[in-house]
């Protein structure tokens, strides 16, 4: 497969990028697992995770995920999540740290939205809340 | 129409009577539209009594003060210090209640709130409590409080406020008092009643924020605020925050400074603000449509189905004239007929003229609440009686007249480019009427996608991106390539066209307002027939021009 890739920003194709470059952007959290990516040879837009060349662990959304049930209840109250909030004129601010429980409550009360970005130690970049398994 | 003339004089005073440059012409057209709308509303309501005029005058004085645009953060900060927040309501305007909800959602979760509202009567408190606690269904509740006869404005406008209160377990208190006659005397008695009730709520619940929703007129300092202070002392005024909505005078001042598109909030004093969410004519047009619906219902009885027999031709026709005048295009309205879903004449014509495939497409459009124009039978279908729908339909009609379009676009993928262009042009035209309108952006589509399991959203995004990739290749490499996506649902084509068209229309409008595109070029663009076989070539030529224009716009989610 010829590795010429495009991603999109507000519906504008951005590229061309090599496989290494696109992986770098994924690792930084600039491209999420469900973002549509275009491969020039295939001439198709598909969600990044469906291309089969980007392992789950490359995406911040798939990193440092607790899978053991006992661990889940322990991490629920850990104040480890930093939240990114948009201000006016494109400025952003970091909030937190929050616990998983607090973020979930914020989502329920609609004070936090699923398309906001979060981060915790161990992740290589920011990721959208909706892409993290804890919130799916 | 004494008051209209007074308003006219006030606005003339604001904009001055200098020789009319382009900006002044732009303002004049909008000012005329606003006055026309307001005049028609007054015509239906009858002449204001001198008492009511005085009541209105007191309210108007609020906006004589100096003001300054401020950010939302300033409002949130001021709200933290307030014990009572009074937010204005324009009952017939849904955007008004939507703004109230957005503000409520910004109140920090740890802050205790009581929601006190004009649209419920205090005497119905037990019924309100029963409804909120789930003991009464919505239908039963509306029946027992006689919503239709006592309040009468669309319940749908207020429903989400109640849903929010239920979810957050917030107490909702009725503030209104039932009167047989509604006049200026009762206005003042109602202010006194509401003021005392609010003061009682503050006394009983000092740790709560009392969030009041009441008609904008009542928020003037000598009205409800003065009544509250009678019971809590004049020092309490510092604890009252007032948030008016859509003051006409401020709007025209903003227009004069060309700040209307970028200003959503202004501050009149330390704890008085005014939210600017829609242009004044949109506010009054909504009221007019509401009044006409109510008037017709009054004529035919209580059968709600008869609402659909209202004739919206005049409403849409008015917009046709304004947009056509603005763009210096000829689009006579005598060929315009506007129909709604239940109109038998519409269905009869549609069945007679279209084959099964086209009929199916028309059914889908109707089912999805889309307004559209059918050039073959010169029939315009209005899905919803709102300003945005009416203005979009008006532009579709103009476009069909000017371009000579003969065939309705119902056959994607071959009609896909025409659909995008038509969506863009339609959106552009509707912005001339309501410049505060916001297109769906990618963020909005993604928000919908995250809350829905529908494949249509993903398909339409893939399609929209494939089209953008195609455009990129055409423009940068002069290379044509086939669209690699074949959506399973035809509906995905329209969703993609709306997404791309909305962005195109925003860009076109921004370029038009900044005079980056000449009226002559724009006229040539609008004359392109989307049915013609050469349209595919013309589309990319026009796109190259449009793509060179700036496109600054916010997502719907970023609105206050």
């Amino acid at each position: 497969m010829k590795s010429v890739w495009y991603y999109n920003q507000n519906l504008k194709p951005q590229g061309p990028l090599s496989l290494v470059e696109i992986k770098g952007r994924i690792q930084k959290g600039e491209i999420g697992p469900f973002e549509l990516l275009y491969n020039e040879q295939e001439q198709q837009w598909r969600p990044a995770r469906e291309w089969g060349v980007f392992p789950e662990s490359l995406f911040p959304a798939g990193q440092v995920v607790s899978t053991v049930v006992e661990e889940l209840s322990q991490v629920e109250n850990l104040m480890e999540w930093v939240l990114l909030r948009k201000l006016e004129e494109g400025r952003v601010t970091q909030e937190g740290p929050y616990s998983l429980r607090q973020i979930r409550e914020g989502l329920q009360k609609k004070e936090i939205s699923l398309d906001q970005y979060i981060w915790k130690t161990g992740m290589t970049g920011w990721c959208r809340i909706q892409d993290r398994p804890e919130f799916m | 129409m004494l008051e209209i003339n007074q308003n006219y004089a006030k606005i003339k005073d604001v904009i001055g009577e200098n020789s009319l440059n382009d900006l002044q012409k732009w303002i004049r057209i909008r000012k005329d539209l606003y006055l026309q709308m307001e005049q028609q509303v007054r015509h239906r309501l009858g002449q204001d009594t001198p008492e009511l005029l005085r009541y209105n005058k007191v309210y108007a004085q609020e906006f004589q003060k100096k003001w300054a645009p401020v950010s939302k953060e300033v409002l949130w900060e001021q709200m933290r210090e307030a014990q009572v927040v009074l937010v204005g309501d324009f009952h017939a305007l849904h955007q008004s209640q939507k703004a109230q909800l957005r503000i409520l959602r910004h109140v920090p979760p740890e802050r205790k709130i009581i929601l006190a509202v004009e649209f419920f009567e205090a005497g119905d408190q037990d019924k309100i409590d029963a409804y909120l606690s789930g003991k009464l269904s919505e239908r039963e509740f509306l029946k027992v409080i006689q919503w239709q006869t006592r309040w009468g404005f669309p319940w749908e406008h207020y429903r989400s406020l109640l849903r929010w209160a239920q979810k957050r377990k917030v107490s909702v208190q009725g503030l209104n008092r039932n009167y047989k006659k509604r006049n200026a005397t009762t206005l003042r008695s109602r202010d006194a009643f509401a003021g005392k009730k609010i003061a009682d709520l503050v006394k009983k619940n000092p740790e709560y924020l009392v969030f009041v929703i009441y008609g904008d007129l009542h928020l003037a300092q000598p009205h409800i605020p003065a009544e509250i202070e009678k019971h809590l002392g004049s020092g309490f005024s510092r604890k009252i925050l007032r948030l008016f909505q859509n003051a006409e005078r401020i709007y025209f001042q903003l227009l004069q400074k060309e700040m209307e598109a970028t200003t959503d909030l202004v501050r009149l004093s330390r704890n008085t603000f005014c939210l600017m969410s829609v242009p004044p004519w949109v506010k009054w047009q909504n009221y007019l449509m509401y009044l006409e619906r109510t008037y017709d219902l009054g004529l035919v009885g209580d059968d709600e189905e008869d609402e659909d027999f209202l004739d919206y031709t005049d409403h849409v026709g008015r917009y046709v004239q304004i947009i056509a005048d603005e763009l210096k295009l000829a689009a006579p309205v005598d060929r315009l007929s506007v129909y709604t879903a239940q109109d038998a004449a519409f269905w009869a014509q549609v069945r007679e003229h279209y084959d099964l495939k086209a009929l199916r497409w028309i059914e889908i459009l109707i089912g999805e609440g889309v307004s559209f124009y059918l050039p073959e039978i010169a029939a315009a279908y209005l899905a919803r009686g709102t300003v945005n729908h009416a203005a979009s339909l008006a532009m579709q009609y103009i476009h069909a007249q000017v371009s000579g379009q003969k065939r309705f676009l119902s056959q994607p993928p071959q009609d896909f480019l025409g659909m995008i262009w038509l969506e863009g042009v339609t959106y552009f035209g509707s912005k001339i009427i309501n410049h505060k309108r916001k297109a769906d952006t990618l963020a909005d589509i993604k928000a919908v996608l995250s809350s829905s399991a529908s494949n249509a959203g993903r398909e339409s995004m893939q399609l929209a991106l494939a089209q953008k990739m195609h455009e990129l290749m055409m423009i940068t490499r002069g290379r044509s390539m086939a669209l690699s996506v074949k959506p399973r649902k035809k509906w995905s084509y329209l969703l993609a066209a709306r997404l791309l068209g909305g962005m195109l229309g925003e860009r076109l409008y921004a370029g038009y307002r900044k005079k980056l595109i000449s009226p002559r070029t724009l006229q040539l663009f609008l004359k392109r027939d989307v049915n013609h076989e050469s349209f595919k070539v013309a589309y990319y030529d026009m796109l190259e021009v449009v793509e060179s224009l700036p496109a600054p716009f916010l997502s719907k989610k970023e609105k206050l």
Side-chain angles (χ1 to χ4, degrees), chain B residues 256-268:
Chain B
Q256 181 70 18
K257 294 176 184 175
E258 295 189 83
M259 289 164 64
E260 82 287 357
T262 51
T263 307
D264 291 330
L265 183 70
V266 300
R267 190 178 202 170
L268 292 145

Side-chain angles (χ1 to χ4, degrees), chain B residues 27 78 283 421:
Chain B
I27 295 172
Q78 201 61 43
K283 172 172 136 175
W421 181 249

Side-chain angles (χ1 to χ4, degrees), chain A residues 6 8-13 16 35-36 38 40 42-47 50 86-88 91 108-111 113-115 128 130, chain B residues 71-73 105 107 109 167-168 442 446 450 458 461-462 464-466 468-469 472-473 477 481-482 484 499-500 503 507 547 557-558:
Chain A
Y6 289 81
N8 83 88
Q9 213 165 40
N10 290 327
L11 221 56
K12 277 221 148 203
E35 297 282 344
L36 296 172
Y38 182 84
E40 202 166 72
E42 295 282 316
Q43 296 195 3
Q44 261 190 33
W45 287 93
R46 271 198 254 154
E50 288 181 16
K86 260 191 195 173
L87 300 174
E88 289 188 341
R91 289 178 299 127
Q108 219 165 20
K109 291 175 185 164
K110 299 202 169 161
E111 290 145 13
S113 68
L114 282 165
D115 63 348
R128 286 182 195 274
Q130 66 200 20
Chain B
S71 71
K72 290 176 275 185
E73 276 71 27
R105 282 182 176 154
V107 179
K167 271 190 189 166
R168 240 185 106 164
L442 207 57
K446 280 181 179 169
S450 67
R458 178 170 155 178
M461 287 251 297
Q462 283 175 310
L465 275 166
K468 291 302 277 186
M469 202 64 203
L472 184 77
M473 295 299 173
R477 302 188 194 175
M481 52 189 254
S484 52
L499 188 58
L500 296 169
M503 295 168 85
R507 211 175 264 259
E547 284 289 315
K557 292 168 73 187
E558 291 167 62

Side-chain angles (χ1 to χ4, degrees), chain B residues 58-173:
Chain B
V58 170
Y59 166 75
Q61 279 165 358
E62 289 283 352
F63 309 108
Q64 305 285 335
K65 298 170 190 166
K66 279 188 179 170
W67 51 263
V70 287
S71 71
K72 290 176 275 185
E73 276 71 27
V74 177
L75 176 67
W76 308 144
E77 198 182 319
Q78 201 61 43
M79 266 175 70
R80 278 196 280 274
E81 293 176 26
Q83 209 169 343
V84 172
V85 171
L86 301 170
V87 185
D89 189 37
F90 197 80
H91 315 317
L93 181 71
H94 199 189
Q95 281 93 334
S96 179
Q97 294 84 32
K98 282 182 183 171
Q100 292 152 7
L101 187 62
R102 287 192 199 109
I103 293 158
L104 276 169
R105 282 182 176 154
H106 265 92
V107 179
E110 61 275 12
R111 187 132 193 223
K112 293 176 179 173
I113 311 180
I114 293 170
L115 182 58
V117 298
E118 179 191 15
F119 55 84
F120 290 152
E121 290 178 12
D124 286 331
Q125 196 56 50
D126 53 338
K127 293 159 195 150
I128 301 168
D129 296 341
Y131 168 62
L132 288 173
S133 61
K135 287 174 191 153
L136 270 180
S137 70
E138 183 179 287
R139 200 187 171 94
E140 288 165 336
F141 173 62
L142 295 180
K143 198 175 171 188
V144 292
I145 64 165
Q146 299 174 53
W147 174 269
Q148 203 56 45
T149 48
R150 288 193 181 172
W151 189 247
F153 291 95
W155 166 250
E156 297 71 43
H157 291 192
Y158 297 93
R159 184 190 276 125
S160 41
L161 287 166
L162 277 299
R163 288 271 176 280
W164 174 87
Q166 268 177 324
K167 271 190 189 166
R168 240 185 106 164
K169 296 186 171 52
V170 164
S171 162
V172 178
Q173 299 285 316

